[in-house]
């Protein structure tokens, strides 16, 4: 499992030029590494929701699973497995002795560090809390975003096979999946409150349809009141 990030400005230099001299000039002189940001976070080269297709860990109950993890991004990763505790069996390619091995559910990986984990899908309330669709992701908040949009980034799922559909996709996340497998979501075109309980109450700024009936009724009322006032005024004048 390779954790990786992309700085869109740095990556853009290669996309914007074909002359290697310009690329070198831009990367080595114009681009300032101390002002760089990580904008995309990837697991095995994919960002959520595509991590569900290419970075999903599909398991059965009572399995012993070895996970080899590397952090090749420039910031630390705090990899959190939901519903499971795994044991670190090797660090940076060196096997740990039995008494050096620790069991936990959040794993620190500094840039360039590697870890081997032993994950057991034994439903005993320690190794595994139960079969399910369990998230695993970097707990540094930016890690689960794609260009600032959440959920995205390296969010992924450890899935018990009984909960996968015939295409190998998790079955209990239909609503979430429909929302995030939509290009409008990451183009930031979807309403912020769309599809939530607040959609009716709040809506989006500037996107509320004018209520023509109410406006017409209001105008009629104002017109009638003015007419009445004029009538009364004329009556008293006489
Ligand atoms: Cu978590």
């Amino acid at each position: 499992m390779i954790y990786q990030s992309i700085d869109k400005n740095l990556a853009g230099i290669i996309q914007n030029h074909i002359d290697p001299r310009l690329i070198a000039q831009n990367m080595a002189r114009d681009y300032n590494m101390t002002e760089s940001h990580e904008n995309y976070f990837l697991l095995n080269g994919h960002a959520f929701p595509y991590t569900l297709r290419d970075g999903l860990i599909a398991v059965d109950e009572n399995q012993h699973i070895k996970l080899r993890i590397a952090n090749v991004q420039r910031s630390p990763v705090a990899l959190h497995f939901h519903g499971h505790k795994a044991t670190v069996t090797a660090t940076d390619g060196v096997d740990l002795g039995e008494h050096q091995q620790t069991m936990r559910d959040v794993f620190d990986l500094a840039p360039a560090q590697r870890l081997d984990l032993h994950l057991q899908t034994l439903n005993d309330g320690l190794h595994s809390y139960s079969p399910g669709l369990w998230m695993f992701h970097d707990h540094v908040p930016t890690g689960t975003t794609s260009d600032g949009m959440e959920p995205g980034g390296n969010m992924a799922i450890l899935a018990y096979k009984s909960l996968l559909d015939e295409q190998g996709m998790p079955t209990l996340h239909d609503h979430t999946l429909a929302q995030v497998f939509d290009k409008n979501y990451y183009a930031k075109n979807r309403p912020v409150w769309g599809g939530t309980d607040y959609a009716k109450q709040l809506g989006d700024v500037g996107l509320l349809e004018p209520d023509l009936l109410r406006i017409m009724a209001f105008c009629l009322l104002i017109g009638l009141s003015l007419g009445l006032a004029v009538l009364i005024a004329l009556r008293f004048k006489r």
Side-chain angles (χ1 to χ4, degrees):
M1 296 157 60
I2 308 285
Y3 285 86
Q4 188 183 5
S5 66
I6 294 173
D7 170 343
K8 66 179 174 185
N9 290 328
L10 182 59
I13 293 172
I14 302 166
Q15 293 169 335
N16 292 335
H17 301 288
I18 43 171
D19 185 333
R21 294 168 303 176
L22 276 177
I23 293 175
Q25 164 75 28
N26 266 261
M27 288 178 88
R29 294 288 178 267
D30 303 335
Y31 176 78
N32 183 343
M33 179 55 101
T34 63
E35 293 170 357
S36 95
H37 292 280
E38 294 167 293
N39 306 104
Y40 296 94
F41 296 84
L42 310 176
L43 165 59
N44 294 342
H46 297 276
F48 179 87
Y50 295 97
T51 49
L52 302 186
R53 210 180 53 185
D54 300 294
L56 188 107
I57 302 176
V59 300
D60 285 314
E61 282 194 72
N62 302 315
Q63 267 190 323
H64 293 268
I65 295 149
K66 180 175 182 173
L67 299 171
R68 177 158 289 166
I69 302 156
N71 178 10
V72 304
Q73 67 187 41
R74 58 155 242 228
S75 60
V77 170
L79 177 58
H80 179 220
F81 285 91
H82 288 218
H84 294 78
K85 295 200 189 294
T87 302
V88 183
T89 57
T91 52
D92 304 334
V94 180
D95 287 336
L96 297 176
E98 197 187 330
H99 298 294
Q100 294 171 298
Q101 298 184 3
T102 49
M103 184 183 233
R104 58 195 311 176
D105 56 33
V106 180
F107 302 92
D108 268 339
L109 284 110
Q113 277 188 339
R114 288 88 68 211
L115 284 183
D116 281 1
L117 301 184
H118 174 212
L119 186 108
Q120 223 181 316
T121 50
L122 176 68
N123 182 6
D124 60 357
L126 178 66
H127 296 84
S128 163
Y129 298 170
S130 76
L133 297 170
W134 295 101
M135 294 187 285
F136 67 94
H137 61 98
D138 180 7
H139 245 287
V140 177
T142 45
T144 50
T145 59
S146 292
D147 200 20
M149 287 291 286
E150 168 124 53
N154 57 44
M155 175 64 75
I157 286 182
L158 179 123
Y160 284 70
K161 286 178 189 162
S162 56
L163 298 168
L164 295 175
D165 67 17
E166 63 282 356
Q167 291 181 308
M169 293 296 280
T171 47
L172 295 182
H173 287 240
D174 284 351
H175 180 68
T176 318
L177 289 188
Q179 186 172 306
V180 294
F181 271 112
D182 177 352
K183 66 178 178 186
N184 286 319
Y185 186 82
Y186 292 98
K188 305 183 182 181
N189 291 333
R190 278 181 61 98
V192 176
W193 304 101
T196 69
D197 292 346
Y198 301 105
K200 275 217 173 77
Q201 296 160 26
L202 296 173
D204 254 23
V205 179
L207 293 180
L208 288 177
E209 285 280 315
D211 189 339
L212 290 177
L213 263 182
R214 282 179 108 175
I215 292 171
M216 277 160 64
F218 178 72
C219 291
L220 203 67
L221 201 71
I222 294 288
L224 281 174
S225 313
L226 279 175
L228 200 67
V230 170
L231 260 180
I232 292 170
L234 284 176
R235 190 105 193 219
F236 276 103
K237 215 176 172 187
R238 275 186 221 147

